[in-house]
Amino acid sequence: MAGGAGRWDRRAVLRRSALLLGGAAVGSFATAESTWVADRRLPIAGGPASATLGNRHQDVGTGGLQVVWGVRTEEPLVALTFDDGPRPQWTPMVLDTLDEHRVPATFFLVGERAREHAALVRGRMDAHEVGNHSWAHRDLARMDAATVYDDLRRSHDAITAATGSAPRLLRPPWGHLGGSVLYASARLGYRLVLWTLQMVEGEFPHDPAGHARRIVADVRPGTILLGHDVGNDGRLVALRGLPDMINGLRARGYTFVTVSDLLRRAATSGAAR
């Protein structure tokens, strides 16, 4: 009797296990099926994730796109970049410091702000380089390819009108790269520029000299350094310490170049990383 009960219990356990496993398999299949169906409702070709548009010939300029974070080089070169401007409270301060120290930089401008504050940058970018940072600093990686292209084209035209220079570089807000961003960038003939090192203002409240020392110590040859000429008062730490940063890097033997100059020099000595 006991043995029979044991065998019955084992059979019941096995049967229930088989039913559970079968249910799990059906559930997994159903989940995968529903996910597939949900995904198919998205605009697959031309949507935010897609780097292609439709099934016709792809209008992507030269047919290729370069994305860089920095470059490999033995030369002590650093590219100083500023995002999100121009703004009256900040951009003139940055330009004045750079002019005083004869340092070129690359400014990734927001098109809407470039149009509104064109007087801040008109005639002041001759020693510098301008790049596109979108029309209104929204997340391009959430937009479809056509919308991203329209956004960047509008910003491109505003930056060109304000500065007299057509941008050839793009840095998308927050460094977000969707397929639609890649596609629109290729259409416009841009290079996509991210960064190697970012200023860390929040770690040095009210300590511009300390922040400058941190950046000077962290820079390596070929670094693209990200700063901002727009923001809250906390970010002023970096801008107030900019002279110390410049002097500290020069003391280490560094030369300041624009991003495009950095890429040109690296092209003869090694591939971009």
Side-chain angles (χ1 to χ4, degrees):
M1 183 73 174
R7 284 193 297 275
W8 173 256
D9 290 341
R10 283 194 295 274
R11 290 193 192 100
V13 169
L14 290 171
R15 187 161 52 249
R16 283 196 294 269
S17 298
L19 289 170
L20 287 171
L21 288 172
V26 171
S28 297
F29 177 78
T31 301
E33 179 73 9
S34 63
T35 300
W36 181 84
V37 170
D39 285 347
R40 294 300 295 174
R41 293 195 185 107
L42 297 174
I44 300 301
S50 177
T52 59
L53 186 60
N55 55 10
R56 296 183 180 274
H57 189 274
Q58 302 297 310
D59 179 18
V60 286
T62 61
L65 179 67
Q66 183 182 24
V67 183
V68 295
W69 288 259
V71 303
R72 296 189 183 279
T73 178
E74 298 301 319
E75 290 186 80
L77 302 173
V78 57
L80 189 57
T81 69
F82 294 94
D83 286 9
D84 298 355
R87 280 288 176 84
Q89 303 91 327
W90 295 56
T91 305
M93 179 197 311
V94 175
L95 287 169
D96 288 346
T97 300
L98 296 177
D99 290 349
E100 179 184 350
H101 292 269
R102 298 181 182 276
V103 169
T106 301
F107 288 82
F108 288 94
L109 304 179
V110 174
E112 185 178 49
R113 294 170 186 170
R115 185 182 67 177
E116 182 180 0
H117 303 297
L120 297 180
V121 293
R122 187 172 292 122
R124 299 208 63 182
M125 289 292 170
D126 292 347
H128 306 293
E129 178 177 40
V130 293
N132 195 337
H133 199 45
S134 82
W135 171 250
H137 206 277
R138 297 190 179 94
D139 191 352
L140 300 178
R142 294 177 179 271
M143 303 176 186
D144 62 54
T147 303
V148 174
Y149 177 82
D150 290 344
D151 180 289
L152 295 179
R153 181 78 251 181
R154 187 182 186 191
S155 182
H156 180 100
D157 293 344
I159 293 168
T160 303
T163 67
S165 298
R168 296 268 51 93
L169 308 176
L170 168 68
R171 177 175 286 160
W174 305 288
H176 287 187
L177 295 180
S180 56
V181 178
L182 302 180
Y183 186 87
S185 299
R187 283 189 67 187
L188 288 162
Y190 283 144
R191 282 173 163 172
L192 271 166
V193 178
L194 301 178
W195 57 88
T196 324
L197 181 64
Q198 181 173 353
M199 296 186 189
V200 286
E201 303 95 335
E203 295 181 18
F204 294 87
H206 314 298
D207 186 9
H211 179 266
R213 286 193 297 271
R214 161 72 182 274
I215 297 302
V216 169
D218 284 352
V219 165
R220 300 290 182 270
T223 289
I224 296 176
L225 178 59
L226 168 61
H228 298 85
D229 59 329
V230 165
N232 56 40
D233 288 344
R235 279 185 173 168
L236 286 173
V237 165
L239 302 189
R240 288 172 177 150
L242 192 55
D244 287 345
M245 197 182 305
I246 292 169
N247 291 331
L249 286 168
R250 279 181 168 159
R252 289 187 59 198
Y254 276 89
T255 297
F256 291 91
V257 293
T258 64
V259 168
S260 290
D261 195 20
L262 180 67
L263 297 177
R264 279 192 295 269
R265 296 196 189 198
T268 62
S269 60
R273 68 179 179 218

